[in-house]
Amino acid sequence: MKNELEELLPKLKKIALSIQAMNESIAMSDLDIETRSELNYLLSMATPIEQVISEVEYWNKPIKRQGTLNKNSLGRYEIGDGDNLTSGSTIEVLKYDSFYEYDLWIKTTIEHNEDYYAIAFPGMPLNGFEARVR
């Protein structure tokens, strides 16, 4: 499946660019109701297509660092002696999934509100969790 998505990526990018070009070059007021409705439907698909492109590109990135999350002397989290993770940093956290009954890497972002936390797991202390960055 991963290979199929990689093969589809150039086509998805071409479609996303075409939708963007259409949006910039066509005035809705110049269209009849059917064409305007079709264009609106097409425009509504742009964001999901761009999200798929982003996720496939992310998935293809190599894993740069993996290890335990620790709070450093600056009050920020890092993996090993790695870079500081700050608001907006994308990481994957190893978490047990009760539905599948297995550990899974869950992609999330780091944000800050009194302390840093993972968007996917608000309230979960980050210190000591296994994580990785791509």
Side-chain angles (χ1 to χ4, degrees):
M1 185 58 64
K2 186 175 181 181
N3 289 339
E4 289 180 36
L5 284 169
E6 288 174 20
E7 290 173 13
L8 190 58
L9 197 56
K11 290 180 182 179
L12 289 173
K13 287 181 177 181
K14 184 177 177 181
I15 291 168
L17 286 172
S18 295
I19 292 171
Q20 180 182 1
M22 285 175 37
N23 187 35
E24 293 170 357
S25 65
I26 298 173
M28 286 279 206
S29 59
D30 294 340
L31 304 174
D32 64 71
I33 190 166
E34 288 302 321
T35 307
R36 192 169 47 240
S37 298
E38 288 176 6
L39 179 58
N40 184 59
Y41 183 67
L42 189 58
L43 293 173
S44 74
M45 290 189 287
T47 300
I49 289 170
E50 290 167 1
Q51 288 173 330
V52 169
I53 292 168
S54 177
E55 290 300 321
V56 172
E57 289 177 340
Y58 175 83
W59 196 8
N60 286 325
K61 290 180 182 179
I63 296 166
K64 293 180 184 174
R65 186 179 305 275
Q66 181 175 327
T68 304
L69 282 170
N70 296 301
K71 190 180 262 191
N72 63 24
S73 61
L74 299 172
R76 295 181 175 157
Y77 288 89
E78 61 185 11
I79 299 172
D81 292 332
D83 300 328
N84 290 321
L85 300 172
T86 59
S87 291
S89 295
T90 299
I91 66 169
E92 295 173 34
V93 176
L94 189 62
K95 193 89 165 87
Y96 180 79
D97 186 286
S98 59
F99 179 79
Y100 292 111
E101 299 181 344
Y102 291 103
D103 286 337
L104 297 172
W105 289 107
I106 308 297
K107 180 182 166 194
T108 187
T109 55
I110 300 294
E111 291 301 333
H112 187 272
N113 184 10
E114 296 181 19
D115 194 10
Y116 288 95
Y117 66 96
I119 290 285
F121 310 105
M124 178 188 86
L126 294 177
N127 212 39
F129 265 89
E130 185 77 8
R132 65 187 187 185
V133 292
R134 292 182 186 258

